[in-house]
Amino acid sequence: MGLNATSLLLVRAVGAVAVFFVARFLYATYTWRSRTRALKAQGIPILPHSLLFGHLPVLGDWRADNPSDANFYSFHLWLIKNCRKYFPDLDFPPPVVYLDIWPIEKPLAIVFDPVAGSQFTQTTSLPKLDLAKHFLEPLTDGLDIVSNEGLEWKTWRSRFNPGFSQRNLTAMLPELIEEVSIFVSQLEEKAGSDGKWGPVFRLEEKTTNLTFDIICRAALGMRLNEQLRPDDGPLKFALLDQIRLMNKGINAARTLPIGRMPWHNAAMRKNNQTLRDLMMPQIQNKLDSDSNDSQVKTIVDLAIKYIDKDDPNASRVKPNAEFVDRLVANLKAFLFAGHDTTAATICFMIKHLQDHPECLAKVRAEHDAVLGADPNRAVDVLRESAHLLYSLPYTLGVIKETLRLNPLAATMRTCPPGFYLTVPGSDVRYPAEGWGVWLSAPGVARHPDYWPRPNEFVPERWMVPEGDPLHPVHNSAWAPFSLGPRNCIGMELALIELRIVAVLVSRRFDIEMGWEGWDKQKGSKTALGANVDGERLYWAGNGIVHPKDGMPVHVRLRNHVPAV
């Protein structure tokens, strides 16, 4: 009898807990559905909204229209394309598009207007959304400058800024050129003989190895030679596996949002320990040596200068443990962010130049004029006259236009009570409190009110003077590195890498997509013909955007004829 009573009490307790959680879930669902519907009552355009499912059916429409591996970031462009379907009176999405996808993710307010975007990134720099912090937490334990706020962020950002400055990176230019030269030799090996096309390969594998070698060298002074390895080295392997596990926590893009399993935690702890174990000897090397003896300063060299600022008792001999933990956390974040997006951007830049041979001809002509007619001497010319890298305005226009059409990441912020967004020429106030405010970098970059010929690849727009009809209307409409004081710290490094690649590759190679050969290689293992808007190369993957299938290409060596 006693056992039955105990069992009954246990069942009732479990039932009460279950009822509590169900009630809380239903209340949260009702709250978000009601909040979204209240927007419509205020005259704010919203997507078709279900009282039961919110905007999940719209997400289902996007998923149905796109390949299963399409990146969720492409939702922005899909919504622009389908604007009339969901907003019949508009040719372009409204300034703020509310997306109630509870309980899959926190409801989002996607900002398609650059003026509104500047209000939470520049006018006021609001805190990062927890969603972004949670993504990085398995890698950095929340100790990185992306996750930090307030004084912690300001202190550590100022410590790392000198390492990413143009002055410091220019001093590092010979090392960066050396790594890109290895990339060029890798392409030479893939080229066919006698000017013929070589075999199909994934370009992103090569660009990823390149950018990983560069960020490790710039941040830590480590030469990993990933470009020359037959397989991933232990540092790269651990980081890529960690990123793979981190991406499992991203739910919105998945058909079945299962997320990470408990056993993944052990693998992530192991990866983190591996990363730390591999980086600490190099950090210790820097602590033991006098970095003033070297003209080239790595990011670690410059950060170590502050080792006794937080703790007067700390020194190179006996560093503060928290200082070291934060240094390691930020280095891991730099290795992640410093290779992923740049590797993909190099691919998209090459694709745009392939699609626009007239632009490629102008790039080649500019390189002939500035660097000399012999592309084989470009490395020597840059080593002797580094400033010439910054004397290529059309090449920079190609890079900026590539980033405009392919901004591969964007900021998410959280808003305080009573915070509203506004846009010029409208009295509407868009409530942002409680929503995850997401700057639509793809959206603001294609907004017809701010960009002439918004969907075209036009590098010339970056060369015309202000007042020219082609000139960008608003600076905040170009946001591939975000906006305001919390923009991407690695922007200058990425632009330098892209410049060097353009200089050393464009005159020496022809590079074309190799889908036919790729399909033959993969056969039934790949989704033959998968495309977005008829384009085989689309934004794919979970988390950070990657080119579909790593961008299969083939290359051939050119017999360069200098421009007249």
Side-chain angles (χ1 to χ4, degrees), residues 77-99:
L77 299 182
W78 176 84
L79 192 58
I80 294 173
K81 176 189 172 186
N82 292 277
C83 180
R84 279 284 183 177
K85 176 180 178 180
Y86 297 103
F87 301 101
D89 299 328
L90 300 175
D91 294 321
F92 194 83
V96 181
V97 174
Y98 294 92
L99 193 63

Side-chain angles (χ1 to χ4, degrees), residues 135-136 139 239 243 246 332-340 544:
F135 174 71
L136 276 176
L139 182 67
L239 181 65
I243 294 169
M246 289 158 61
K332 289 190 289 184
F334 296 153
L335 296 189
F336 162 49
H339 88 277
D340 226 359
I544 298 297

Side-chain angles (χ1 to χ4, degrees), residues 92-135:
F92 194 83
V96 181
V97 174
Y98 294 92
L99 193 63
D100 174 14
I101 52 176
W102 170 266
I104 300 299
E105 288 290 5
K106 179 183 177 71
L108 301 168
I110 307 177
V111 179
F112 280 83
D113 185 274
V115 176
S118 67
Q119 291 164 11
F120 60 87
T121 56
Q122 292 175 294
T123 307
T124 302
S125 182
L126 294 179
K128 293 293 183 78
L129 187 67
D130 285 345
L131 183 64
K133 298 177 183 179
H134 291 160
F135 174 71

Side-chain angles (χ1 to χ4, degrees), residues 296-317:
V296 177
K297 304 291 194 300
T298 67
I299 293 162
V300 170
D301 288 326
L302 294 168
I304 283 176
K305 289 168 56 179
Y306 300 93
I307 199 162
D308 59 351
K309 298 301 180 184
D310 300 331
D311 180 0
N313 296 318
S315 66
R316 287 175 176 267
V317 176

Side-chain angles (χ1 to χ4, degrees), residues 205-217:
E205 288 184 356
K206 301 297 183 184
T207 61
T208 297
N209 286 336
L210 164 64
T211 55
F212 196 78
D213 277 347
I214 284 178
I215 188 59
C216 286
R217 199 159 179 182

Side-chain angles (χ1 to χ4, degrees), residues 197-202 512-524 526 528 536 549 551-554:
W197 293 105
V200 173
F201 66 97
R202 297 188 192 207
E512 287 189 352
M513 298 302 305
W515 291 114
E516 184 177 352
W518 180 252
D519 290 342
K520 288 179 180 178
Q521 283 183 24
K522 294 298 176 182
S524 60
T526 186
L528 297 179
R536 290 288 301 272
D549 286 341
M551 189 170 165
V553 300
H554 54 184

